[in-house]
Amino acid sequence: MAWVIAIAAALLLAGVWIEHRRARRLAESIAAVRRHAAEIERFRAITQSLLAGQELTGTLQAVATAAGDLVVADSGYITLCDPDTGALTVAAATGSTGAWVGKQIPRDGSVAGWVTSHGQPALIHDLSQDTRGFREANVQTGLKREVVVPLRSHGEIIGAIGANRTADMPTFGHHDVALLERLGDMAVLAIENAQALDHSRRARAGLAAKNAELEEALRTKSEFLRNMSHELRTPLNSIIGFSELLQSGSAGELNEGQREFLTTAIRNSRHLLQLINDLLDLAKVDAGRMELQLAPANMRALIEGVLEDSRGLLAGHQLQLAHEITTGPVTVVCDDVRIRQVLFNFVSNAVKFTPDGGEITVRATRTAAPLPVPAQRASDTARLKTRPAVWIAVSDTGPGIRPEDMPRLFQEFSQVDSSTSRKSGGTGLGLVLCRRFVELHGGTIGAESVPGHGSTFWMLLPEDGPLRLGDAYARAGEGGS
Ligand code: ADP
């Protein structure tokens, strides 16, 4: 009987012991799950603060704070290597190490130095016993334990992150190393993002300052040109007026020599006046003060008008002037005075450069072409929209233009063949102005030439005029290319 009771008691005890062990395991599992959940929560908060798009200083501070929080330490820090000198500097730190921020730490004689040089983590239970440590500093702060991991970017070590505990706190373990390594990967991304962001912010600020400077310079230049042009135009008009009066003989008869001198003086004065007028127009366009008087214009009438006005230029030249205009109405919403100016410039250049016996033909046809959409902001990429357009071109059988000279055609004061240009007069501003006028209309301008076989200068104008900024984007969407 006694042995039966003994067996029952033993079984009972064994059951209690097993139950106790099961309960302990359960409690341990629950604690581990809680720890893990807390870590996940800490990682979530850290990720959020690292991805907040702060500038570099804020990001570094967030990394140091995260290092301390993640491994539940007294303090956390991040040190970065100078890419040129390799020197290590504490970029941000919290807790007892807070005072180290900005200080350089020796590569030989600090745990962070050892970690960055060896590319391995360090796990130290007692800093006072570790020969790698920066012992004086640790004695001052009362720190005893340390965990440090290297930071790697594209395979290169760029610094280290670490955390410290005081003597009354538990030692760090391998799990803490793993946690800091995971943080390190995120920290490197956040630092690189912040550096790129800082760089682009600085670049944008520099660009804005440069833009303001350029705008001011452009404004001053335009102002200067406008004032000068006014000051010069008044006396010049009076010189031309009085010279023409003298030339007409109403102030007394002139001999042959006097008449010749006067003709030269009037020709040069007119040339000067043309130059001043062109400069004034250019200054106005550059300053954004050129206002177009837009209205539907009949291109056939406009072209015929320009050809009529050009007859005077043909005096003394043996040239054929013809035109081929597409059948049907050709209407363009434009400032007809400016478009007339462009076409007249094309025709007068053709007359200037084409030798006797040559032909000049003006052509116009309706088409559809990709034309630029005005940018809303300086950063906008150029966009094109296919629109109904009218193509107007002037071809001649003159000497043509060498391919290497083509890019200079529409640049200020560029006369590509100075000998012919000088002989034929001209300011070198005509085509520049033409380009500005055509672009103000939302069109494009260009030239083609085969040296020895003549040139063609053309403009493409949108039939319904320039797009206004507001409707540019609304209209650009439909059917744009
Ligand atoms: P300019 O008032 O000097 O004619 P433009 O701006 O109108 O100035 O023209 C610039 C230069 O382009 C001219 O000096 C000339 O060298 C060249 N050019 C223009 N049109 C023609 C043409 N039809 N044939 C040959 N060269 C031309």
Side-chain angles (χ1 to χ4, degrees):
M1 191 62 192
W3 62 268
V4 173
I5 292 172
I7 288 176
L11 281 176
L12 200 67
L13 270 177
V16 169
W17 184 74
I18 288 169
E19 208 42 53
H20 175 73
R21 231 177 49 168
R22 207 177 279 155
R24 213 182 59 213
R25 280 214 194 115
L26 191 67
E28 277 169 9
S29 302
I30 290 172
V33 167
R34 281 213 182 109
R35 255 199 325 274
H36 195 60
E39 268 168 28
I40 290 174
E41 177 50 30
R42 282 204 293 276
F43 256 113
R44 196 197 55 77
I46 287 165
T47 315
Q48 218 167 33
S49 82
L50 289 184
L51 293 181
Q54 323 181 52
E55 49 194 49
L56 188 60
T57 330
T59 304
L60 292 169
Q61 193 55 44
V63 171
T65 309
D69 287 355
L70 199 61
V71 295
V72 198
D74 165 83
S75 49
Y77 68 85
I78 169 165
T79 60
L80 292 177
C81 305
D82 185 305
D84 300 322
T85 62
L88 263 186
T89 307
V90 180
T94 62
S96 311
T97 52
W100 297 355
V101 178
K103 295 218 165 84
Q104 269 207 14
I105 49 176
R107 279 196 98 118
D108 307 320
S110 71
V111 181
W114 184 90
V115 166
T116 48
S117 303
H118 290 75
Q120 286 171 25
L123 194 55
I124 300 162
H125 303 315
D126 187 352
L127 280 166
S128 63
Q129 301 302 313
D130 197 289
T131 48
R132 295 169 294 186
F134 195 22
R135 278 185 244 169
E136 282 149 56
N138 295 324
V139 169
Q140 278 168 22
T141 52
L143 296 173
K144 184 159 186 183
R145 323 199 187 285
E146 186 154 10
V147 55
V148 191
V149 302
L151 285 179
R152 279 196 180 80
S153 164
H154 308 288
E156 290 227 353
I157 294 178
I158 60 159
I161 48 173
N164 292 87
R165 284 180 185 160
T166 47
D168 52 340
M169 297 170 95
T171 55
F172 289 113
H174 292 289
H175 182 63
D176 296 311
V177 172
L179 284 178
L180 283 194
E181 280 175 340
R182 270 177 69 193
L183 173 67
D185 293 342
M186 279 193 330
V188 168
L189 282 182
I191 290 169
E192 283 172 355
N193 268 352
Q195 278 169 336
L197 219 70
D198 274 14
H199 181 76
S200 85
R201 275 193 197 121
R202 267 199 306 277
R204 243 182 295 145
L207 218 61
K210 265 270 154 322
N211 265 349
E213 252 173 55
L214 277 176
E215 260 169 39
E216 180 56 22
L218 205 64
R219 205 190 51 74
T220 315
K221 179 186 125 192
S222 300
E223 192 97 334
F224 172 76
L225 281 177
R226 223 177 10 259
N227 290 343
M228 280 304 290
S229 303
H230 278 300
E231 297 300 320
L232 289 171
R233 250 192 337 181
T234 318
L236 198 56
N237 271 322
S238 129
I239 291 170
I240 294 172
F242 282 117
S243 305
E244 284 174 345
L245 205 67
L246 281 177
Q247 197 186 35
S248 72
S250 45
E253 269 314 302
L254 300 175
N255 64 33
E256 198 52 37
Q258 287 169 329
R259 190 163 293 124
E260 212 175 286
F261 288 155
L262 215 50
T263 307
T264 309
I266 292 172
R267 194 178 57 242
N268 283 317
S269 304
R270 288 221 176 97
H271 180 227
L272 199 55
L273 187 63
Q274 181 61 46
L275 181 65
I276 292 167
N277 283 340
D278 284 356
L279 277 174
L280 195 60
D281 276 349
L282 208 58
K284 262 199 218 157
V285 177
D286 283 346
R289 293 201 194 175
M290 174 68 67
E291 286 195 5
L292 298 179
Q293 307 298 320
L294 296 172
N298 177 347
M299 285 295 115
R300 187 185 307 280
L302 189 145
I303 292 168
E304 285 168 353
V306 169
L307 291 181
E308 202 46 51
D309 293 347
S310 310
R311 298 271 163 217
L313 302 173
L314 294 175
H317 294 277
Q318 303 290 312
L319 293 173
Q320 294 238 357
L321 196 53
H323 66 274
E324 293 169 12
I325 303 173
T326 185
T327 47
V330 191
T331 308
V332 169
V333 174
C334 65
D335 184 331
D336 65 337
V337 174
R338 296 306 175 190
I339 296 305
R340 210 179 277 269
Q341 203 174 329
V342 176
L343 190 58
F344 189 78
N345 200 85
F346 286 176
V347 174
S348 61
N349 274 350
V351 172
K352 256 195 292 188
F353 294 104
T354 309
D356 281 354
E359 279 174 30
I360 297 166
T361 313
V362 182
R363 292 187 177 84
T365 189
R366 294 182 64 197
T367 181
L371 293 170
V373 172
Q376 270 184 325
R377 289 170 295 271
S379 56
D380 284 348
T381 44
R383 295 181 62 190
L384 296 173
K385 173 178 159 54
T386 300
R387 306 173 65 195
V390 172
W391 179 79
I392 304 172
V394 178
S395 305
D396 62 51
T397 54
I401 299 152
R402 291 179 306 173
E404 61 268 34
D405 290 332
M406 297 295 284
R408 288 195 289 132
L409 276 180
F410 298 98
Q411 288 172 12
E412 272 101 334
F413 300 108
S414 62
Q415 294 182 322
V416 296
D417 177 352
S418 43
S419 59
T420 330
S421 309
R422 216 171 289 133
K423 202 166 65 202
S424 13
T427 60
L429 281 176
L431 289 177
V432 180
L433 264 177
C434 289
R435 180 173 154 202
R436 300 281 213 286
F437 288 153
V438 169
E439 287 177 355
L440 276 179
H441 281 83
T444 53
I445 195 169
E448 272 113 41
S449 180
V450 179
H453 291 90
S455 322
T456 297
F457 282 80
W458 54 263
M459 61 179 140
L460 253 172
L461 297 170
E463 283 189 349
D464 53 358
L467 291 174
R468 279 174 290 122
L469 258 191
D471 56 27
Y473 276 72
R475 283 206 256 161
E478 3 155 319
S481 66

